[in-house]
Amino acid sequence: MRPMYETQGDLNREEALVDKLEKAWSCYFHKLPIKYNLDYIIFKNNEPVALVEIKIRSKDMDYYDALGGCMMDLHKWVAAKDFSAVSGFPFIFVAQTSDGVWHTTVNDFTKHSGVIYTGRKDRGDKNDVEPHVTLRKDFFIRTRYSSGELVNV
């Protein structure tokens, strides 16, 4: 079995972002069990309305754009595509970078910036290098913090 690299600090940062998104979008994020390969399902008025994957990154969006775009593991992309196809819910990819919070709603999973083979090599885990789907900056809507609240730019 593969080790989990997500730390409590990672989970705390994700939870802090979710709190802000829930307020900004007037919804509730329900954490999905790990077997679904996605982070959350969003509820509005007690009804499920969207699927969400969140990435917290330390660099700015231009840095990731220079690499081909913000990355998501291909297996998560396929899980989102399948879950979306079965449920009819849109998929929202949220990326918090050093220069803001970005999100994109995906309805057509064939529209992306490419598939690359990359990953971390500093942990000695050969399974860290795998296919990723990339989404360039122009796929995303940028949000910013204003008095602790998220607002669209």
Side-chain angles (χ1 to χ4, degrees), residues 14 37-40 51-55 72 76 91-95:
E14 182 178 290
N37 292 312
L38 298 173
D39 290 330
Y40 296 92
L51 309 165
V52 178
E53 179 67 16
I54 294 177
K55 297 292 179 195
M72 177 186 296
K76 285 187 174 248
F91 171 64
I92 302 170
F93 181 25
V94 176

Side-chain angles (χ1 to χ4, degrees), residues 39-58:
D39 290 330
Y40 296 92
I41 188 163
I42 293 177
F43 284 80
K44 277 195 170 207
N45 301 319
N46 295 321
E47 294 293 325
V49 296
L51 309 165
V52 178
E53 179 67 16
I54 294 177
K55 297 292 179 195
I56 309 272
R57 298 291 182 235
S58 60

Side-chain angles (χ1 to χ4, degrees), residues 58-89:
S58 60
K59 308 255 192 270
D60 65 22
M61 187 57 99
D62 287 336
Y63 172 85
Y64 298 104
D65 220 36
L67 299 175
C70 203
M71 293 176 253
M72 177 186 296
D73 302 347
L74 180 61
H75 78 276
K76 285 187 174 248
W77 186 260
V78 171
K81 178 178 99 38
D82 291 346
F83 198 157
S84 188
V86 171
S87 67
F89 303 145

Side-chain angles (χ1 to χ4, degrees), residues 4-138:
M4 288 286 298
Y5 295 112
E6 194 170 48
T7 67
Q8 189 59 50
D10 296 333
L11 294 171
N12 293 344
R13 283 184 287 282
E14 182 178 290
E15 193 172 298
L17 176 57
V18 164
D19 288 344
K20 289 180 179 5
L21 290 169
E22 286 177 329
K23 288 181 183 118
W25 295 348
S26 301
C27 63
Y28 168 71
F29 279 56
H30 174 76
K31 184 78 167 161
L32 286 167
I34 198 166
K35 68 183 176 183
Y36 288 98
N37 292 312
L38 298 173
D39 290 330
Y40 296 92
I41 188 163
I42 293 177
F43 284 80
K44 277 195 170 207
N45 301 319
N46 295 321
E47 294 293 325
V49 296
L51 309 165
V52 178
E53 179 67 16
I54 294 177
K55 297 292 179 195
I56 309 272
R57 298 291 182 235
S58 60
K59 308 255 192 270
D60 65 22
M61 187 57 99
D62 287 336
Y63 172 85
Y64 298 104
D65 220 36
L67 299 175
C70 203
M71 293 176 253
M72 177 186 296
D73 302 347
L74 180 61
H75 78 276
K76 285 187 174 248
W77 186 260
V78 171
K81 178 178 99 38
D82 291 346
F83 198 157
S84 188
V86 171
S87 67
F89 303 145
F91 171 64
I92 302 170
F93 181 25
V94 176
Q96 179 175 292
T97 61
S98 65
D99 61 340
V101 176
W102 306 75
H103 69 278
T104 185
T105 301
V106 178
N107 291 302
D108 182 349
F109 287 85
T110 64
K111 293 190 192 266
H112 51 74
S113 302
V115 176
I116 61 174
Y117 200 81
T118 190
R120 291 185 62 168
K121 297 176 181 153
D122 60 333
R123 297 190 280 215
D125 183 349
K126 66 182 179 182
N127 292 316
D128 262 358
V129 179
E130 61 183 315
H132 290 76
V133 169
T134 60
L135 294 170
R136 297 194 66 83
K137 182 178 177 178
D138 60 350

